[in-house]
Amino acid sequence: MLRKLFKFHGGVKPQTHKTQSTTQPIARVPLPERLVIPLHQAVGGHPRPLVAPGDKVFKGQRIGGADGSLSSAVHASTSGIVRDVAPALMPHTSGLTTLSVVIEPDGEDRWGELDKVNYRTAPPDELRDFLRDAGVVGLGGAVFPSYAKLKPGKEGRLKTLVINGAECEPFITCDDLLMRERAADMLKGIVAMRHMLQAEEVLIGIEDNKPEAVAAVQAAIAASGQSGIQAVAIPTRYPAGGAKQLIRVLTGIEVPHGRRSTDFGVQCFNVGTAYSIFEALEFGRPLISRVVTVAGNVDQPRNYEVLIGTPMDHVVRQSGARPDTDRYIMGGPMMGVRLPAFDVPVVKATNCILVGSPALFPPPPPEMPCIRCGECAKACPADLAPFEMYWFSRSKNFGKAQEYHLFDCIECGCCSFVCPSHIPLVDYFRFSKSEIWARERDKSSADAARDRFEFKNFRQEREKQEKAEKLAAKAAATREKVAADSQAGTASPATEAPDTAKPAAPSAEDTKRALIAAAMEKARQQKAQIAPKNTEQLSAETQADIDAIEARRAATATPPTPDA
Amino acid sequence: MLTALLVMTAVALVLGALLGYASLKFKVEGDPLVEKIDAILPQTQCGQCGFPGCRPYATAIASGEADINQCPPGGEEGIRKLADLLGREFKSLSEEHGVEKPKSVAVIDENTCIGCTLCIQACPVDAIVGAAKQLHTVVAGECTGCELCIAPCPVDCIAMEPIVDTLDTWKWRYPVIQIKQAA
């Protein structure tokens, strides 16, 4: 059955460079001397470390626990001893460090006790929790925790489950090889996802420059006897592998600004994710390795099954890096990020290590002024006007840039690719986005500070007022009490005293005197109640001294208190 | 002639009454300019401007009592925004009010703190928790870096530590523009 396909706006056709790394099957990489596994590898909360230096860990043992509502666990990739839990450089342009677990492999590569789940009978909720603890995240590059996406929309069922095997970026072939070699297992993962999402149909989108992968997946579907699953060859056009673009091509649905694809009954997963879901559900194996393409400035470009945490230079060594290598890029040439060092670890987001050299990726020609030719708008797959966003980003007019839907930009790099003035447009957009986020953070913290400051002032005023009220109430109570006392006391003398014409003036005076007397009485009582300390087990001399002092004190204290 | 005068007077009276009614009915509570200025100020509540908090300073700017360049935490960008809002010339930060510093938070040395509560009383945003003779600590997320807690501490156990970049706060740099050399 031939399916009607749709087109997305824009896109480019860069040279694919894919044939070099697909000549040989996926190879395993020997165990490195040490593995550095960052705990924060996926979108969402930072996982908590569950191991300490010196602990022995098994392959597949959880070393970072999911924390918060959106977070994904991290596992030991091999058996060995934890050497350190400390910040280490992560594969990110910033060159920042993140809390990582350093494992020294013992060479046995022994699996520990694995949790298992019967995915054919277990309810979807249990499967989601299981996948969260198995650390399964989207392997297409966004590393979004998969369990959070495996929820059907409001209607409780999904129309179309889209599986992304497009792999549009040049050089990268990890999904291609995975589909060629492991199509049957991947399909089992897809069937499990379909069950969890209650999806009517499944569409596996593969670019038509991968005929072997299309054939392998189609053969696997035929062999499995599943109905409603279709592998579709789609035209090769970058970025057909973008989730929104692939959904557009396969279903014709255009997901508008601010909406999710599930609102339209569509959800999209990468083929690598489907395979790791199969591994997790079938064998209980968490996500501890992934297929990584090593390409670019190497003697033998190839795909490897790499343990998470393996240093990148260790992987590249298998392919033979050429001597003029000056950089590693994680991802492809369009969207990849330049890495701060060669020995950063492979993480769940690493689909490709692109080895660069000045000859392979020469420095870009100097940036020229924008001539408003509109080529970038023609190429933009998100239907934006990059040249407008560029003007506003460049002049730091972020509000206007946002009005031109800066946040719908998927940073695919098509605009920079076609720009005749060699303007690094995506760099400007990334800069603008992070500035806007920083400003929003600043603004919300300023608002919080203002609220707290105003509340503190309000609280201080309130406390002052409460204190004043309390004092006034107490004073009033004492006055009343004394007045009552004095009335009872003066009731009889009042009959004797003839001067009752002006009772107000003397009573005020009396009250005051009575108040003072009451306070003095209270103080004396308190003083009397204080028991002397350290008076046990005293020697006779000390006791005698104390007695003498007490006698003196009594003698001096008696004269002023005869009237009391 | 008289009719015309009467008509004009009547019209003037009616319109005057309408205007008077409108000015009562649609009276703006408070000064909206103060709100706008206050929104630009960083809300550090540090008092370096010479006023007890950001809102008093905003009020002073609005009434013309204070200049726009007295807020070191707001920095040059803040002054620029104030200048834009008020239609004034940009001025560099006034030196007598302090210098622009990187954003930092207060940290209490737990070995030295004696639990005197003086810093708690000084904190304008209630970001320090603790009780008498109990160890105090700064809630880093709420600390504005105003440094008001440093002076009252009798044992000098509070230090300001600059905020380090994390992956969540890291920013992409402004793209470097290569300028071609003239031949």
Side-chain angles (χ1 to χ4, degrees), chain A residues 16-79:
Chain A
T16 57
H17 294 287
K18 285 190 191 250
T19 46
Q20 298 94 319
S21 54
T22 51
T23 53
Q24 283 176 299
I26 300 171
R28 288 206 161 265
V29 175
L31 272 179
E33 274 171 32
R34 54 206 272 126
L35 291 157
V36 182
I37 305 172
L39 287 171
H40 186 58
Q41 294 193 31
V43 172
H46 288 247
R48 298 161 276 118
L50 300 176
V51 288
D55 286 1
K56 192 160 168 33
V57 288
F58 287 109
K59 186 172 184 164
Q61 183 179 331
R62 197 142 29 106
I63 55 174
D67 202 20
S69 60
L70 184 71
S71 183
S72 183
V74 181
H75 302 79
S77 315
T78 186
S79 59

Side-chain angles (χ1 to χ4, degrees), chain A residues 40 46 90 92-97 337 364-368 393-396 411 424 427-428 430-431 434-435 438-439 441-443 445-450 452-457 459-460, chain B residues 35 38-45 52-56 77 81 103 119-127 139 141-142 144 165-180:
Chain A
H40 186 58
H46 288 247
M90 60 188 294
H92 189 265
T93 322
S94 61
L96 289 173
T97 58
V337 288
E367 185 182 333
M368 309 262 278
S393 299
R394 192 176 161 160
S395 57
K396 301 185 186 170
E411 301 176 20
D427 291 1
Y428 282 98
R430 283 175 173 162
F431 159 74
S434 58
E435 277 298 323
R439 264 151 222 243
R441 271 196 306 275
D442 282 353
K443 193 168 178 317
S445 64
D447 287 345
R450 184 187 297 121
R452 291 177 76 86
F453 178 62
E454 276 166 11
F455 181 74
K456 177 171 177 162
N457 288 346
R459 180 172 58 83
Q460 277 177 332
Chain B
E35 291 292 330
D38 195 40
I40 291 172
L41 296 176
Q43 304 303 323
T44 322
Q45 318 294 357
C54 294
R55 182 166 269 280
E77 205 190 320
K81 278 187 190 165
K103 255 192 120 180
C119 56
I120 297 182
Q121 294 159 35
C123 180
V125 289
D126 283 337
V139 184
E142 309 289 357
T144 62
D165 260 350
T166 64
L167 208 59
D168 300 323
T169 59
W170 179 79
K171 291 193 283 187
W172 285 87
R173 279 196 307 272
Y174 190 67
V176 181
I177 300 161
Q178 294 163 323
I179 297 164
K180 216 176 177 182

Side-chain angles (χ1 to χ4, degrees), chain A residues 192-454:
Chain A
M193 283 196 276
R194 183 188 188 183
H195 162 68
M196 288 170 78
L197 289 166
Q198 299 288 308
E200 276 170 41
E201 57 164 357
V202 180
L203 297 175
I204 308 171
I206 307 166
E207 275 194 347
D208 56 12
N209 61 357
K210 293 182 263 295
E212 296 93 335
V214 178
V217 174
Q218 276 170 346
I221 294 169
S224 73
Q226 291 276 345
S227 63
I229 302 184
Q230 205 181 350
V232 187
I234 58 166
T236 300
R237 186 170 191 83
Y238 180 84
K244 283 188 174 178
Q245 284 68 32
L246 187 64
I247 289 170
R248 168 84 186 149
V249 169
L250 289 173
T251 66
I253 294 168
E254 203 157 331
V255 183
H257 168 78
R259 302 284 295 276
R260 289 164 199 272
S261 61
T262 42
D263 299 344
F264 301 88
V266 185
Q267 186 62 287
C268 183
F269 287 92
N270 176 263
V271 288
T273 318
Y275 180 75
S276 57
I277 284 176
F278 157 76
E279 287 250 294
L281 296 181
E282 185 78 36
F283 306 115
R285 286 181 194 158
L287 180 56
I288 54 159
S289 69
R290 66 158 298 152
V291 184
V292 176
T293 308
V294 177
N297 194 37
V298 286
D299 293 326
Q300 180 49 62
R302 192 172 182 176
N303 282 281
Y304 298 92
E305 175 88 35
V306 186
L307 296 177
I308 304 295
T310 309
M312 285 192 185
D313 50 357
H314 180 78
V315 184
V316 172
R317 218 171 289 138
Q318 315 303 318
S319 274
R322 294 192 183 130
D324 60 338
T325 296
D326 70 337
R327 81 196 89 158
Y328 287 173
I329 294 162
M330 188 168 98
M334 301 292 281
M335 290 187 72
V337 288
R338 190 177 172 163
L339 297 176
F342 291 129
D343 60 350
V344 289
V346 168
V347 290
K348 291 175 183 176
T350 313
N351 48 5
C352 174
I353 306 170
L354 189 53
V355 182
S357 71
L360 190 63
F361 301 117
E367 185 182 333
M368 309 262 278
C370 172
I371 53 168
R372 297 183 79 95
C373 61
E375 282 298 316
C376 48
K378 273 188 224 157
C380 181
D383 275 302
L384 303 173
F387 59 97
E388 297 282 12
M389 299 192 316
Y390 158 72
W391 287 113
F392 294 125
S393 299
R394 192 176 161 160
S395 57
K396 301 185 186 170
N397 192 346
F398 301 119
K400 286 294 266 184
Q402 238 172 317
E403 275 175 36
Y404 279 85
H405 302 293
L406 176 69
F407 282 97
D408 284 338
C409 168
I410 57 170
E411 301 176 20
C412 65
C414 289
C415 49
S416 313
F417 184 78
V418 298
C419 181
S421 290
H422 315 294
I423 300 170
L425 290 146
V426 176
D427 291 1
Y428 282 98
F429 303 152
R430 283 175 173 162
F431 159 74
S432 281
K433 283 182 185 179
S434 58
E435 277 298 323
I436 291 168
W437 283 322
R439 264 151 222 243
E440 254 157 41
R441 271 196 306 275
D442 282 353
K443 193 168 178 317
S444 65
S445 64
D447 287 345
R450 184 187 297 121
D451 289 348
R452 291 177 76 86
F453 178 62
E454 276 166 11

